[in-house]
Amino acid sequence: MNQFLRDLPSWGVRSKNGQDAYCSDLTVVCRFLHEARGGKTIWQMDQADLRAFKSARLFGQDPDDRIAYSTWQRFLAALEKWVRWALDAELLAAEPFRYVDKVVMTPNGPKQVRVNEESEPGKSKVPISFLPYEDFLLWRDVGLRGFLPNGDRHPSWRGRNGERNGLFAGLLVCTGMRLVEASCLLLPEIPLLAPARGDFHLSKAVTKRNKPRTVYVRLRVLRDVHHYVTIERDELIQRMRLTGAYDAKADSWHVLRSNPARAGR
C-alpha cells in the first residue's frame, strides 16, 4: 500500500492535497474492514464489503456519521485507482468489484459509461455556489495584499509577498489553472504581451492525468504577471544573488538556452 501511495504521481495524482486525500480515504476503508468485516485486509475486499461500507457511510444510524454523495464518489475513485494499480502490479488476480453500464450526463450530453455497481453519480444535493468577482477582488486585496476595504494600506500589514500572492490567486481564478500547474510555471512558459489574449501551454509533467492542456489569460492579468516578473521578482533575485544563494553547486544544472517548448543545458 505504501508503494501505491508513492506511485500516485505517476498515476496522475500529483497534488499533495490529492495524495493526502487518497491516503486518508484508504485508511478509513482499511479500518472499516478490520473493525466491521471480521479483520479483513483491503486485499481481501469484495463487492459485499464495498456495499457494507457504502451502507455505513451513506446511511449510518447517526446522522453525524453520514457523508455526502460527492464524498462517497471520492472514496470510490480512490479504491478504483488502487485496483487499477494493483492489477498492473499483479498484486490482484482480478477486479474485486462489479461494474455495470450506466447513462450519465456529461458536458456533451448523456453518455453510456462503465461504472462501479455501488456508484452514485449525479446524486449530490449540494448546490453549486459562485463567488462574485467583486467579492474575490475584496478578499484578494484585504486578505493577500494587505489593504483595507476602502483601498488604503492596512497599517499593521507585515506581509512581504502580497503582490505575488494576489497575482497567484488572480491567475488561478482567471485561467482555471490548478495549484500545482500555476506554481510550476517557468519564465519561458509565460506568453509575451500582445493585443490578443495570451495562452499558457501546460506540460503533461504538471497536469492532471498526464494530459497537456492550454489555458488562456486576460491581457490585464498577463500584464500583471510581466509587471511582477520585471520588478518585484527581479528585485528579489538580485537581493538573493548578493547573498550567494545562486552560487554554483556540484549537482546544479545550468540552463544555456530556452524557449516556450523546452530548455537545454
Side-chain angles (χ1 to χ4, degrees):
M1 186 60 71
N2 286 339
Q3 185 62 49
F4 165 66
L5 297 174
R6 286 194 293 267
D7 288 347
L8 278 176
S10 63
W11 282 75
V13 185
R14 297 188 179 86
S15 165
K16 185 179 184 303
N17 291 335
Q19 295 169 18
D20 289 345
Y22 271 74
C23 187
S24 176
D25 290 347
L26 291 175
T27 298
V28 172
V29 173
C30 291
R31 185 180 297 121
F32 172 81
L33 293 171
H34 178 73
E35 296 179 359
R37 302 296 287 178
K40 275 188 173 183
T41 70
I42 194 172
W43 305 98
Q44 301 167 313
M45 188 177 185
D46 56 24
Q47 192 73 19
D49 298 317
L50 181 62
R51 189 175 300 111
F53 181 62
K54 174 183 178 181
S55 177
R57 298 298 284 159
L58 283 177
F59 315 111
Q61 293 183 352
D62 188 346
D64 293 336
D65 292 337
R66 299 172 190 168
I67 61 175
Y69 280 101
S70 57
T71 305
W72 171 249
Q73 293 300 106
R74 194 189 71 190
F75 272 106
L76 272 188
L79 282 169
E80 290 176 352
K81 180 83 71 175
W82 163 74
V83 167
R84 291 197 298 272
W85 174 87
L87 289 172
D88 182 74
E90 298 183 349
L91 297 174
L92 287 177
E95 291 179 336
F97 309 133
R98 288 195 295 274
Y99 292 85
V100 296
D101 291 330
K102 286 188 177 181
V103 176
V104 299
M105 291 303 299
T106 71
N108 298 321
K111 182 179 180 181
Q112 186 169 328
V113 296
R114 180 175 179 265
V115 298
N116 192 296
E117 194 175 60
E118 304 305 327
S119 179
E120 298 288 349
K123 284 196 174 183
S124 177
K125 299 180 181 180
V126 180
I128 298 176
S129 300
F130 295 92
L131 180 71
Y133 188 65
E134 293 76 10
D135 291 346
F136 160 73
L137 293 178
L138 180 64
W139 170 82
R140 181 200 65 181
D141 292 342
V142 174
L144 299 180
R145 299 178 65 197
F147 289 95
L148 293 170
N150 63 4
D152 295 336
R153 176 67 68 177
H154 198 296
S156 64
W157 175 253
R158 295 294 181 268
R160 296 183 302 165
N161 301 305
E163 292 302 317
R164 181 201 66 184
N165 297 340
L167 174 61
F168 186 79
L171 195 61
L172 296 176
V173 169
C174 294
T175 64
M177 287 189 197
R178 299 180 177 88
L179 289 170
V180 174
E181 293 170 346
S183 63
C184 290
L185 282 176
L186 302 176
L187 281 181
E189 296 173 324
I190 298 176
L192 298 176
L193 280 173
R197 293 182 302 177
D199 50 344
F200 287 87
H201 301 285
L202 304 178
S203 166
K204 67 178 183 180
V206 298
T207 56
K208 192 173 184 179
R209 299 188 181 92
N210 298 317
K211 293 182 179 180
R213 66 192 189 104
T214 299
V215 298
Y216 299 92
V217 61
R218 294 178 179 177
L219 182 59
R220 174 181 55 79
V221 177
L222 183 58
R223 187 181 295 115
D224 290 342
V225 172
H226 281 272
H227 183 270
Y228 164 74
V229 168
T230 56
I231 297 179
E232 185 173 331
R233 183 181 182 276
D234 185 68
E235 187 273 336
L236 173 62
I237 290 176
Q238 298 303 327
R239 184 152 37 89
M240 296 300 294
R241 181 175 286 124
L242 292 176
T243 66
Y246 302 130
D247 291 346
K249 302 294 191 300
D251 59 347
S252 61
W253 288 54
H254 300 277
V255 178
L256 303 180
R257 63 187 185 279
S258 64
N259 60 47
R262 63 184 63 83
R265 282 197 297 167

